[in-house]
Amino acid sequence: MTLVAYSDSDDSGREHESKQGIGSISARSDGLKRKRSPYEEQQSDLPPLPDSFHDLYSSTTRVSNQDDPSLHAGRQRQFPHVEGQWPTHVYIEFLTDVGQTLPPKVQLHSLLQSDLGTVLPLHISLSRTMMLATYQRQPFTDSLQSAIQESGVRPFTVASDGLRWVANHENNRWFLVVHIKKPPGDELNKLLRASNGVARRHGQPSLYVPQDALRAPVAVHGKYHTSWKRRISVADPLKPEADDFGNASTWQEEDMSAYFHLSIGWTLEEPAESRNEISACLSSQIATKLELAIESVKAKIGNSVVDEQEKYAVAAKIPLYNRGVQKTDPVIIGEAAHECVCEDALVHLKSYKYSSVDKSLISRYILKYYWNGFVELLPLWLAPNMVTLLGFFFILADIILLEIFIPDLVGPAPSWLYYSFACGVWMYSTMDNVDGKQARRTGQSSGLGELFDHGIDSLNCTLASLCETAAMGLGSSPKGVFTALIPCLPMFFSTWETYHTHTLYLGYFNGPTEGLIIACSMMIASGYYGPQIWTQPMTDLIDRPEIFGDASVVDVWIPVIFSTFLFIHLPACVLNVVKARRAQKLPLAPVFVEWLPIVIFTASSTSWLYSPYSTLMRENRLVLFCLTMSFVFGRMTTKIILAHLTRQPFPMWTVMLFPLIGGAILGNLPRVGLPAVTASVELWYLRAYFVFALVAYFRWALLVINSICDYLGINCLTITPKPAPNQTAGTKAANGDISSKAHQAMNGGIDRKRE
């Protein structure tokens, strides 16, 4: 048996779509039959060879840089050998015994079996031969894997539809092929478009572009010569203009089902009418019996075909995903798609990469050493998401203590309560920053980590600020309402910025670091001096009346905080989004429409609370209102980060905003000539809103978390057992280090675990 492979190049003897190294096997032409046919071999008690065995045909070969057609049954090299170039082919492979050899008297080189009678794998091509440079191998493989996964194609089955003759692109080799029927879900076309898209991005030609229509397969029955010559010589005047690689955008969504096939033999001679004998012999055995299951796509680069488990592979076996929300219940499907947790959305979790920029000097040169030391105190059995949740429990404990000891948010309260506020906020921030380090220690990093972390931050946005309101003794006043709700604005716009830039930006002075330190310091000061310190003139502490006059900290609190957001934080977010959109050559106007949710949230909240006809501030209902807004705002922003992770459209709405609009209307009825509602009615409306928000939020959260956990094969609050050595590649990819978060709220924290 003659086996020769040219290193780092390819030859025209292979079919233009067939590059996995099996096309060089020739059938015996001496008329002798082997003692055992493939069919008889199949009846033996010996177990079948594993799929990986057949990849050995492309690696255990003699390497030659010289073009010697005699070693390849007359085939000639298609590309000249160039050091550092790698012939590449994308295809779907099958290992099946069709139970029939080609007739010995037919001068046709078989692709069904080797000279030793071994059944050879068949394939459906998804690319032409592409020549990649060495530096392109891994990026190409990564891009192909992402494209295949993003295509949303699930494992499917194909069936045969008769025999055809088809020529390669150079018209110097003809193949006898089994034509493949179009699968019900059009999966082959989807995979072809994914493969062609990757090829174009790497400067490579596409497969089955317009000129291929001139080489459509020709049935072996009927008048072969007339049909074939017409197809290869008559130009189509309506063919769209193509580029140097034959790509035409108007053909990208074209149905190419007529071109998918399995090659079973080849010849260097142009087929003639007499070759119908082959069809008569094989049609009943092959063309009408093949039904093949497709579970993965292979990429072959050079003379190596390896599985994705090998970390530094130059080629990959890319599985089609088959996890996530089951597509059986139309109601579940619709809800899952609406909430970005259908399989078409979750597949992006496998390719998502975290990116962040944190310029805070305190974080980089001081706090990181504290976090690195603190995480070593955590046990390895503690899941990273549980670390995040434990941090949130510190805030919830403070809210309970606040409601018991200082429900009016004015005080003064016992000194230890203010120290408890500072301790709770600091421990929340600490846990928020070490959960990622814990994820790396335990090997539990995942896309769920960012979502869970960001969701907790969103819930905390109006709760930690309640502690700040109480520490300053602001109560349920206009300044207290402002202090409790203002963190929602920077949090939303940081999330919006992250959605478009896919990068979390934190400046030299930012809320999650410097802002949090200031907040904790003020709580400690309240515990030592009492909350009344913030209403005293600043000249009592700093003897500079020419600067501060009679103003207190409370007097300048709102102008300083709001100006910082309006003139520093918001412009920085807009600038980064504008840069990202321009870099992608996308329009700018649509991104500003995405401000609608926060505009409605802010306008409705202020209209309700600040209305002179509303009783919520007079009756001291700010704590209940902030608890309700915690769920409303939490769902609104977490949906944005979920859409960012899953590459879905920006979520413009949440049903939880409807009651907020209703509350704004309820609190302003006298403005339209209707009588004002009583304090009891308004309170019960707010209570009902709280229950609705609580139920709606946790129902949504459970749907999202369970869908992601099922899809990635991980646990949320417990350690996921480490994968076995024979774990599938798809699961490994799912559990890669894919995490991040965004939080610009004044009292929030940044998830530096994702750095």
Side-chain angles (χ1 to χ4, degrees):
M1 176 175 65
T2 302
L3 271 177
V4 176
Y6 295 119
S7 64
D8 304 348
S9 186
D10 197 17
D11 57 88
S12 64
R14 295 176 180 164
E15 176 193 357
H16 69 283
E17 303 95 344
S18 177
K19 306 296 181 288
Q20 72 271 38
I22 63 174
S24 60
I25 311 298
S26 301
R28 292 173 64 94
S29 58
D30 54 8
L32 297 178
K33 294 184 179 180
R34 303 186 184 278
K35 293 182 179 180
R36 300 186 61 154
S37 68
Y39 176 78
E40 293 169 337
E41 192 72 27
Q42 191 179 31
Q43 305 305 310
S44 69
D45 296 331
L46 295 176
L49 292 171
D51 292 348
S52 58
F53 174 83
H54 297 275
D55 293 335
L56 297 176
Y57 281 102
S58 60
S59 58
T60 58
T61 61
R62 177 167 60 85
V63 178
S64 172
N65 293 337
Q66 302 300 320
D67 186 10
D68 189 353
S70 65
L71 297 176
H72 299 280
R75 293 173 297 164
Q76 295 182 349
R77 183 191 296 273
Q78 178 180 351
F79 300 104
H81 172 74
V82 178
E83 187 70 26
Q85 285 193 348
W86 302 77
T88 302
H89 184 226
V90 182
Y91 57 95
I92 299 169
E93 187 176 74
F94 310 92
L95 183 60
T96 180
D97 189 350
V98 298
Q100 177 68 51
T101 58
L102 295 177
K105 63 181 179 179
V106 177
Q107 295 299 319
L108 188 69
H109 299 276
S110 175
L111 298 177
L112 298 176
Q113 64 178 17
S114 69
D115 288 350
L116 296 179
T118 303
V119 176
L120 296 174
L122 302 176
H123 73 279
I124 298 176
S125 290
L126 295 176
S127 77
R128 295 190 191 180
T129 300
M130 300 175 287
M131 302 302 294
L132 297 180
T134 301
Y135 71 89
Q136 291 180 304
R137 294 180 299 170
Q138 195 60 50
F140 178 88
T141 304
D142 294 340
S143 298
L144 180 65
Q145 177 178 340
S146 298
I148 295 299
Q149 293 172 345
E150 292 172 8
S151 68
V153 175
R154 299 163 57 90
F156 62 102
T157 303
V158 296
S160 57
D161 187 27
L163 294 178
R164 304 286 192 272
W165 283 105
V166 64
N168 62 3
H169 285 280
E170 292 72 31
N171 290 319
N172 58 10
R173 193 171 172 218
W174 286 262
F175 294 85
L176 181 63
V177 304
V178 178
H179 182 247
I180 301 299
K181 292 181 180 178
K182 181 178 180 179
D186 200 25
E187 290 87 352
L188 289 177
N189 273 314
K190 293 178 181 178
L191 293 176
L192 176 65
R193 291 164 192 153
S195 177
N196 279 343
V198 174
R200 286 192 294 270
R201 288 195 295 272
H202 287 78
Q204 300 295 328
S206 300
L207 178 64
Y208 303 143
V209 288
Q211 57 264 40
D212 291 320
L214 305 178
R215 297 186 178 89
V218 183
V220 296
H221 301 289
K223 295 184 178 180
Y224 173 83
H225 283 94
T226 303
S227 176
W228 180 264
K229 290 181 178 179
R230 176 178 58 82
R231 290 178 183 268
I232 64 176
S233 61
V234 179
D236 185 358
L238 299 179
K239 183 177 65 176
E241 183 179 358
D243 60 21
D244 294 338
F245 295 106
N247 303 322
S249 59
T250 55
W251 284 73
Q252 290 181 5
E253 300 299 323
E254 193 74 15
D255 185 1
M256 296 298 178
S257 300
Y259 307 105
F260 295 115
H261 60 272
L262 297 169
S263 298
I264 61 175
W266 63 273
T267 178
L268 296 177
E269 300 177 3
E270 185 175 354
E273 290 281 350
S274 61
R275 298 284 170 104
N276 288 345
E277 173 188 357
I278 301 174
S279 175
C281 178
L282 297 178
S283 291
S284 61
Q285 300 293 331
I286 299 177
T288 60
K289 291 186 177 181
L290 286 182
E291 185 169 326
L292 307 169
I294 299 177
E295 297 181 351
S296 65
V297 173
K298 277 194 173 183
K300 176 178 179 290
I301 302 179
N303 285 326
S304 181
V305 180
V306 295
D307 283 345
E308 192 177 304
Q309 286 91 332
E310 297 189 30
K311 185 175 180 181
Y312 298 104
V314 296
K317 180 180 179 181
I318 305 171
L320 304 178
Y321 69 91
N322 193 20
R323 298 182 65 99
V325 178
Q326 298 299 315
K327 298 186 177 182
T328 54
D329 188 343
V331 177
I332 294 178
I333 296 172
E335 183 176 14
H338 179 69
E339 300 299 346
C340 302
V341 291
C342 62
E343 286 183 302
D344 292 345
L346 292 179
V347 67
H348 296 275
L349 291 174
K350 296 183 178 181
S351 58
Y352 173 76
K353 302 297 182 182
Y354 172 67
S355 174
S356 68
V357 175
D358 185 1
K359 299 180 179 180
S360 171
L361 300 180
I362 295 179
S363 296
R364 295 166 60 185
Y365 298 109
I366 299 177
L367 290 180
K368 76 172 184 179
Y369 299 105
Y370 161 70
W371 294 324
N372 290 338
F374 187 92
V375 73
E376 297 297 328
L377 303 177
L378 301 179
L380 292 176
W381 51 260
L382 188 62
N385 287 335
M386 181 58 74
V387 174
T388 309
L389 192 59
L390 289 175
F392 186 57
F393 286 161
F394 281 96
I395 299 297
L396 293 181
D398 280 340
I399 296 300
I400 294 174
L401 293 175
L402 180 150
E403 185 65 18
I404 295 174
F405 291 97
I406 184 172
D408 61 355
L409 304 178
V410 177
S415 296
W416 64 264
L417 183 60
Y418 300 112
Y419 295 142
S420 174
F421 291 165
C423 178
V425 172
W426 183 259
M427 287 304 300
Y428 166 78
S429 173
T430 299
M431 293 296 195
D432 190 42
N433 286 289
V434 303
D435 51 5
K437 300 178 186 298
Q438 179 74 352
R440 288 193 291 272
R441 291 178 71 214
T442 57
Q444 300 292 302
S445 298
S446 73
L448 179 63
E450 176 184 356
L451 187 67
F452 192 88
D453 194 292
H454 186 92
I456 295 296
D457 285 340
S458 299
L459 291 175
N460 178 60
C461 217
T462 61
L463 300 184
S465 57
L466 268 179
C467 297
E468 181 71 15
T469 301
M472 297 182 67
L474 298 177
S476 295
S477 64
K479 293 179 180 178
V481 170
F482 172 86
T483 303
L485 297 180
I486 187 61
C488 295
L489 291 178
M491 178 69 170
F492 176 87
F493 285 101
S494 289
T495 307
W496 170 74
E497 175 192 30
T498 302
Y499 174 85
H500 287 287
T501 64
H502 303 297
T503 299
L504 171 61
Y505 292 96
L506 293 177
Y508 293 101
F509 189 95
N510 59 75
T513 303
E514 288 77 13
L516 182 141
I517 293 175
I518 292 175
C520 289
S521 300
M522 294 178 68
M523 294 173 184
I524 294 174
S526 294
Y528 188 81
Y529 296 103
Q532 64 274 6
I533 187 177
W534 310 115
T535 57
Q536 295 177 358
M538 287 186 286
T539 54
D540 292 349
L541 299 175
I542 305 175
D543 189 17
R544 297 300 298 271
E546 68 277 8
I547 298 177
F548 301 107
D550 295 332
S552 66
V553 172
V554 171
D555 294 331
V556 300
W557 178 251
I558 291 180
V560 170
I561 296 299
F562 189 72
S563 298
T564 301
F565 162 73
L566 188 62
F567 298 112
I568 298 178
H569 184 83
L570 181 59
C573 292
V574 173
L575 179 62
N576 289 329
V577 171
V578 169
K579 289 180 178 179
R581 297 286 289 187
R582 286 179 175 173
Q584 302 173 53
K585 298 182 179 179
L586 296 174
L588 296 178
V591 301
F592 297 106
V593 179
E594 296 165 353
W595 292 7
L596 179 64
I598 193 62
V599 169
I600 293 177
F601 177 86
T602 304
S604 299
S605 298
T606 54
S607 297
W608 190 359
L609 290 173
Y610 287 102
S611 172
Y613 308 105
S614 174
T615 63
L616 293 184
M617 282 200 291
R618 294 197 301 270
E619 297 293 328
N620 192 31
R621 306 301 179 187
L622 183 57
V623 174
L624 180 58
F625 185 87
C626 286
L627 286 171
T628 306
M629 292 304 102
S630 173
F631 295 112
V632 175
F633 182 77
R635 179 165 175 176
M636 185 170 67
T637 54
T638 308
K639 287 183 68 173
I640 298 174
I641 210 67
L642 177 60
H644 154 64
L645 289 170
T646 56
R647 297 295 194 270
Q648 299 301 301
F650 189 91
M652 295 293 296
W653 188 256
T654 172
V655 68
M656 296 168 73
L657 287 175
F658 281 116
L660 184 59
I661 298 174
I665 296 174
L666 191 69
N668 289 276
L669 289 178
R671 296 183 186 277
V672 293
L674 298 176
V677 297
T678 64
S680 176
V681 171
E682 193 171 16
L683 175 60
W684 279 106
Y685 181 88
L686 181 58
R687 287 172 176 170
Y689 188 11
F690 171 76
V691 173
F692 167 74
L694 176 71
V695 174
Y697 180 88
F698 278 104
R699 182 179 181 276
W700 171 81
L702 289 175
L703 169 67
V704 172
I705 292 174
N706 289 337
S707 298
I708 294 177
C709 287
D710 289 343
Y711 183 77
L712 297 181
I714 60 176
N715 301 329
C716 180
L717 298 178
T718 59
I719 295 292
T720 304
K722 291 186 178 181
N726 59 348
Q727 179 192 22
T728 61
T731 306
K732 283 191 175 183
N735 290 306
D737 189 1
I738 318 169
S739 321
S740 75
K741 70 175 301 287
H743 184 17
Q744 294 284 341
M746 177 186 66
N747 292 317
I750 173 176
D751 184 9
R752 291 176 181 85
K753 69 184 179 187
R754 315 305 181 185
E755 292 177 352

